[in-house]
Amino acid sequence: MFIMEMGQMTLSTRIPIFSLYPHIRYDAHVLDPLANLQFTTNTYYKLALFIKQLARELCGGRCVFFLEGGYDLRSLSYSVADTFRAFLGEASISSKIDNPAVLYDEPLLLVDKAIAKIKAIHAL
């Protein structure tokens, strides 16, 4: 059931959902040359677990995946395989694959460091 609030009135409607159709962008992997994001194989595994649970709750577990992106073939193959491991109820093998050394600082951390440096320079 989806509930939408409009002012003081609450509208509650049942919307039938027959299947989820997630578009998973595998080019968000940290090793992918295009996206510059920090998804790992484990990120895709956890995302698939979430989608699996959502599909269970909304549409009897039915889910159709669309493969999009992914230009580093090694990370693509591992991430797709781990996505299906999640749906099959198998354990992730990402701890054997993912290398934390390839992750870089989040941009927000870099911004926070720059602000702290400016504050120190100007005694703020």
Side-chain angles (χ1 to χ4, degrees):
M1 180 182 300
F2 290 90
I3 298 174
M4 180 172 47
E5 292 185 9
M6 298 184 304
Q8 294 181 4
M9 180 179 19
T10 300
L11 174 66
S12 176
T13 57
R14 288 191 178 271
I15 302 171
I17 298 175
F18 301 104
S19 185
L20 288 183
Y21 298 93
H23 293 254
I24 299 182
R25 300 294 309 236
Y26 288 95
D27 54 2
H29 197 281
V30 67
L31 298 177
D32 194 277
L34 294 183
N36 259 351
L37 296 175
Q38 293 197 74
F39 281 30
T40 62
T41 303
N42 190 47
T43 306
Y44 289 106
Y45 181 83
K46 288 181 179 180
L47 181 61
L49 289 176
F50 174 75
I51 293 170
K52 179 182 177 182
Q53 180 62 35
L54 196 60
R56 235 187 264 147
E57 292 173 10
L58 297 176
C59 52
R62 292 180 300 275
C63 190
V64 177
F65 277 90
F66 293 92
L67 174 63
E68 292 188 35
Y71 304 95
D72 179 87
L73 296 182
R74 187 170 183 204
S75 64
L76 173 65
S77 63
Y78 288 142
S79 297
V80 170
D82 236 26
T83 297
F84 284 98
R85 279 187 191 91
F87 264 83
L88 293 171
E90 297 177 8
S92 172
I93 62 164
S94 62
S95 63
K96 300 174 186 171
I97 299 165
D98 289 339
N99 178 2
V102 300
L103 298 175
Y104 49 89
D105 285 340
E106 286 282 340
L108 187 55
L109 294 175
L110 297 175
V111 170
D112 288 342
K113 287 178 186 177
I115 290 172
K117 187 175 182 178
I118 291 169
K119 284 182 175 181
I121 291 171
H122 295 284
L124 297 175

